[in-house]
Amino acid sequence: MRRNLYSQDVHRCEPLHSQLAQDFRQRIASGAWPAGERAPSEAELVRATGASRGTVRQALNALRTEGLLVGGQGRSPRVRQAPPAQSFSQFISFSQWALAIGRTPGQHLHEMARRACPAEIASELDLDAGEPVVQLLRQRSLDGVPTMVERTTFVLHVGRTLFDFDTDSGSIFAHLASQGVDLARGRHTIDAVAADQTDAQLLGIQPGEPLLRVRRVTFTPDERPVEYSDDRYLPGRTTFTIENTAQHRGALLHLNPTEDPS
């Protein structure tokens, strides 16, 4: 009987396929699986890890969804030469995503203040315009390279906990979880914008250059919105992936089309 090297680790409670996927991501990040080359086959990974073929396949599929692997139908998948892809199939923070793909997340706070909430953000947070909120401006990086500008607004009772937290030390979501704030789901809207002066300064680019923008509203389990974020990414540093299935076909009918500029 094969000994499963991963399930023996009692300190890890995530599913086995998630453990394997994390291991495979680290192999890609370290260069053990070089970009442009073929990764080991399912059969080779089954022998090496002691996991079942179904579990190995599930782990490899996670990396395909993230854009780290391509192909592999009947032969070994190839490691993709592409920017790291951030998937919206799971609700995780920027820091969690970076660590999951074997990269080092970074953050530098440029501004944090209690302010009156602008009307357009108040409507997203179910507040009245002018109610007090806490707003942050941070530069985020991958492996020390500026990657994203983060403009975040928290409702007051959540945001006030950040004044006693070193926001350059790690994930704000992790800190809020330690304070008992349960962030259950996010609603994301993706579009493109031109970099403004602040974006250009923090990302080392020229004003007007295109950026990928993700606007996110974060909810607690009882469906209260507590965070609104406007995150602007350099398109050459990351991409986004969304995986759909036939079972979710009905949900696609509710996507909001953009206005026809014509």
Side-chain angles (χ1 to χ4, degrees):
M1 182 176 180
R2 291 195 303 262
R3 177 175 178 265
N4 193 311
L5 299 179
Y6 289 83
S7 62
Q8 300 302 314
D9 187 348
V10 297
H11 299 291
R12 302 183 69 175
C13 59
E14 66 265 34
L16 178 55
H17 66 83
S18 297
Q19 297 180 35
L20 287 175
Q22 173 65 0
D23 179 31
F24 299 163
R25 292 185 193 99
Q26 292 173 346
R27 297 187 196 192
I28 292 172
S30 68
W33 292 1
E37 301 294 326
R38 292 207 174 273
S41 67
E42 287 183 4
E44 290 171 321
L45 291 170
V46 166
R47 289 193 296 269
T49 64
S52 70
R53 183 177 289 271
T55 299
V56 167
R57 183 172 298 162
Q58 197 171 359
L60 293 175
N61 283 340
L63 271 65
R64 289 190 183 93
T65 298
E66 295 163 11
L68 297 175
L69 294 176
V70 293
Q73 299 301 321
R75 56 180 178 170
S76 300
R78 189 180 298 277
V79 180
R80 187 180 182 190
Q81 293 176 304
Q86 186 169 2
S87 173
F88 292 111
S89 60
Q90 290 182 303
F91 180 55
I92 60 175
S93 69
F94 178 90
S95 295
Q96 289 174 307
W97 163 69
L99 292 170
I101 61 172
R103 309 294 285 272
T104 302
Q107 48 278 322
H108 180 65
L109 179 69
H110 286 264
E111 186 177 294
M112 179 165 62
R114 173 173 165 164
R115 294 195 179 98
C117 190
E120 64 274 15
I121 297 178
S123 64
E124 297 285 356
L125 293 176
D126 196 23
L127 300 174
D128 293 327
E131 284 195 54
V133 292
V134 175
Q135 294 189 312
L136 294 83
L137 173 67
R138 292 200 299 173
Q139 177 204 70
R140 307 303 303 271
S141 62
L142 288 175
D143 298 333
V145 180
T147 300
M148 183 258 281
V149 174
E150 180 181 76
R151 295 169 172 86
T152 309
T153 300
F154 287 99
V155 298
L156 184 60
H157 75 275
V158 172
R160 70 189 352 156
T161 69
L162 300 176
F163 288 105
D164 296 322
F165 173 63
D166 178 4
T167 59
D168 287 358
S169 68
S171 168
I172 284 178
F173 275 23
H175 168 72
L176 293 177
S178 73
Q179 300 299 304
V181 180
D182 190 355
L183 304 177
R185 73 174 182 92
R187 185 183 71 226
H188 302 83
T189 303
I190 306 171
D191 62 4
V193 295
D196 63 18
Q197 290 288 344
T198 299
D199 298 326
Q201 178 184 357
L202 296 182
L203 294 174
I205 58 176
Q206 294 298 314
E209 290 194 33
L211 298 174
L212 291 170
R213 179 172 66 171
V214 179
R215 286 171 289 172
R216 180 185 66 249
V217 182
T218 304
F219 299 85
T220 57
D222 57 359
E223 294 299 313
R224 288 181 300 161
V226 293
E227 182 233 24
Y228 174 84
S229 194
D230 178 320
D231 301 339
R232 303 183 182 192
Y233 294 79
L234 280 170
R237 303 272 166 81
T238 187
T239 60
F240 304 121
T241 63
I242 300 174
E243 185 174 4
N244 295 316
T245 66
Q247 286 76 14
H248 295 109
R249 201 177 310 164
L252 296 179
L253 299 176
H254 300 289
L255 292 177
N256 296 319
T258 57
E259 293 184 5
D260 187 347
S262 62

